[in-house]
Amino acid sequence: MNCQIGVIAGDGIGPEIVAEARKVLNAAGEKFGHTFCYTDILMGGCSIDATGVPLTDEAIAAAKASDAVLMGSIGGNTSTSPWYRLSPELRPEAGLLKLRKSLNLFANLRPAYLYEELKEACPLREDIIRDGFDLMIMRELTGGLYFGERKTEQVDGVTTAVDTLTYNENEIRRIAKRGFEIAAKRRKKVTSVDKANVLDSSRLWRKIVEETARDYPDVSYEHMLVDNCAMQLVKDPKQFDVILTENMFGDILSDEASMVTGSIGMLSSASLNDTKFGLYEPSGGSAPDIAGKGIANPIATILSAAMMLRYTFDLDIEADAIEHAVKQVLKEGYRTIDIMPREEEKRKSVTQVGTSQMGDLIAERITDERQS
Ligand code: IPM
Ligand code: MG
């Protein structure tokens, strides 16, 4: 297969982690006989520096012309970077939001899974994670607070900022459908997360989720308030299968979910629309504090590349091979610094490696199981 992949390396650790994902993809391409052609696309702070805006029309066109886009991360230090003195629509994040909107990427899948080997890195107590957990956050990605009207103005001489949280029933229905479809292929449970005790948008969310649920009688569902969900994620993460939620709640809960897997450097993500196209990116940020040091964990990006093979190209065996290679490397005891065991004694039994060594190790372990 010939795959046209747009690559947004972005800012901070983005270029480092994307390089490793490409390395692993190329290894899979060689093993399985596929050609991956990459087109670099500018977005985020690096685009601001080069063009004055975080995402140009040419960049959007290049993304649209690709079968899928693989992304690293964008943005800088929000208190010190000059990018954050620009007006909101010119900041790095505005580029990502614009790209998601332009490509109608309304469904964001963020799987959080506890690797047996990483239990030592998990900040939760042993009795909580004994049986592991495996959940999928299904985050609505093109509506809600991040896309509502916003302004800062003087009201009676007082500076006042307004953000608007809007959802219509169609936006809720299409993501709810996706959530139930994914759950039907997993453990058949949807937890729909909202704040229906306060927000109108959440009450509509609940109503539409209930209507949608009728079409999926095999899938059980429950409603959970977002504050409770934040608590339940650290109290008993294994209760969850699919967490279905709106944009901002999903943004926050997915960072939390990633940390309970051991590190935000482990959480992959796919942003999908109604076609086979997808934008694949790690859920973590650009980590400017460790950029250029060669210590960032590339696994979330590598697993995002595996999601790309699965969802856009229907290359399930190849995606399995990448996921298997990641597991294998962890089993052999290789760790980037973020997933080192917390206890000194246990640190001795593993080997700490840098970003590119981790990529090499995973790439070397890609095998075609069908031939062995
Ligand atoms: C994420 C990020 C983005 C978001 C930012 C960079 C706009 O935090 O993908 O979770 O909030 O969606
Ligand atoms: Mg986020």
Side-chain angles (χ1 to χ4, degrees):
M1 185 183 250
N2 200 332
C3 309
Q4 299 294 328
I5 302 170
V7 177
I8 299 175
D11 309 314
I13 59 170
E16 297 164 61
I17 53 182
V18 158
E20 300 316 309
R22 282 175 64 156
K23 198 186 269 176
V24 172
L25 275 174
N26 291 341
E30 250 170 59
K31 273 273 163 353
F32 293 90
H34 305 299
T35 315
F36 299 113
C37 299
Y38 305 99
T39 310
D40 288 315
I41 300 174
L42 269 186
M43 188 174 86
C46 54
S47 172
I48 298 175
D49 291 346
T51 70
V53 291
L55 184 72
T56 60
D57 291 342
E58 296 77 63
I60 298 178
K64 282 189 176 156
S66 312
D67 298 322
V69 172
L70 179 68
M71 190 188 131
S73 53
I74 50 113
N77 183 313
T78 48
S79 16
T80 55
S81 164
W83 297 329
Y84 295 91
R85 289 197 286 276
L86 298 167
S87 62
E89 72 286 0
L90 289 177
R91 290 179 195 158
E93 289 73 8
L96 178 55
L97 296 177
K98 188 171 171 191
L99 185 67
R100 288 173 179 167
K101 195 73 169 180
S102 310
L103 296 169
N104 196 25
L105 303 170
F106 65 89
N108 182 216
L109 277 63
R110 298 189 161 181
Y113 167 86
L114 185 66
Y115 286 88
E116 186 61 34
E117 293 75 20
L118 292 190
K119 280 187 171 166
E120 309 290 346
C122 175
L124 301 182
R125 278 199 327 262
E126 209 275 323
D127 59 307
I128 296 177
I129 53 158
R130 193 170 297 135
D131 304 323
F133 59 85
D134 177 1
L135 61 93
M136 174 76 87
I137 297 191
M138 179 62 120
R139 167 187 177 195
E140 201 292 325
L141 204 59
T142 52
L145 210 46
Y146 297 4
F147 291 94
E149 238 177 86
R150 67 173 67 101
K151 61 183 173 200
T152 303
E153 60 184 354
Q154 295 295 314
V155 177
D156 299 331
V158 180
T159 309
T160 307
V162 184
D163 292 288
T164 335
L165 202 179
T166 311
Y167 270 108
N168 70 40
E169 57 177 309
N170 299 331
E171 292 170 312
I172 301 171
R173 198 167 286 115
R174 67 181 179 178
I175 188 75
K177 261 181 91 191
R178 280 291 174 92
F180 279 91
E181 277 163 13
I182 296 270
K185 293 193 194 139
R186 293 174 44 102
R187 298 197 312 282
K188 301 188 174 13
K189 180 181 173 191
V190 169
T191 303
S192 172
V193 173
D194 61 37
K195 187 71 185 171
N197 53 347
V198 179
L199 303 175
D200 264 43
S201 54
S202 284
R203 278 203 292 277
L204 180 61
W205 183 277
R206 232 174 232 222
K207 176 169 174 274
I208 302 299
V209 167
E210 273 170 21
E211 285 172 18
T212 309
R214 287 186 212 132
D215 297 332
Y216 301 86
D218 295 346
V219 179
S220 70
Y221 77 98
E222 63 181 351
H223 300 292
M224 191 177 277
L225 295 173
V226 62
D227 41 358
N228 184 26
C229 182
M231 182 185 78
Q232 296 294 336
L233 266 173
V234 290
K235 187 170 170 241
D236 179 21
K238 71 171 181 311
Q239 70 182 287
F240 296 110
D241 180 17
V242 172
I243 293 180
L244 168 67
T245 193
E246 64 92 53
N247 202 343
M248 184 175 66
F249 298 159
D251 187 18
I252 298 168
L253 294 175
S254 60
D255 267 27
E256 187 187 2
S258 72
M259 199 55 225
V260 299
T261 67
S263 165
I264 193 152
M266 296 298 297
L267 204 76
S268 56
S269 115
S271 305
L272 308 173
N273 57 22
D274 277 324
T275 71
K276 292 302 272 183
F277 180 89
L279 168 68
Y280 299 87
E281 50 169 319
S283 299
S286 61
D289 51 322
I290 59 163
K293 293 190 178 158
I295 58 170
N297 185 348
I299 293 180
T301 320
I302 291 168
L303 292 174
S304 301
M307 288 184 95
M308 174 175 81
L309 297 186
R310 198 181 295 288
Y311 290 104
T312 290
F313 299 112
D314 290 321
L315 296 174
D316 286 317
I317 293 169
E318 291 79 349
D320 287 346
I322 293 180
E323 289 167 4
H324 185 264
V326 168
K327 265 191 202 136
Q328 186 58 33
V329 165
L330 294 175
K331 202 179 273 168
E332 290 172 35
Y334 295 104
R335 305 280 187 273
T336 42
I337 190 165
D338 55 307
I339 48 174
M340 287 292 284
R342 280 165 299 133
E343 289 167 37
E344 194 54 47
E345 209 34 50
K346 297 202 167 130
R347 285 170 177 260
K348 292 187 191 136
S349 59
V350 298
T351 313
Q352 189 174 321
V353 296
T355 311
S356 82
Q357 201 183 346
M358 184 55 104
D360 287 339
L361 289 163
I362 295 169
E364 283 161 15
R365 280 155 187 74
I366 305 270
T367 49
D368 186 346
E369 300 258 303
R370 294 169 306 178
Q371 290 169 8
S372 54

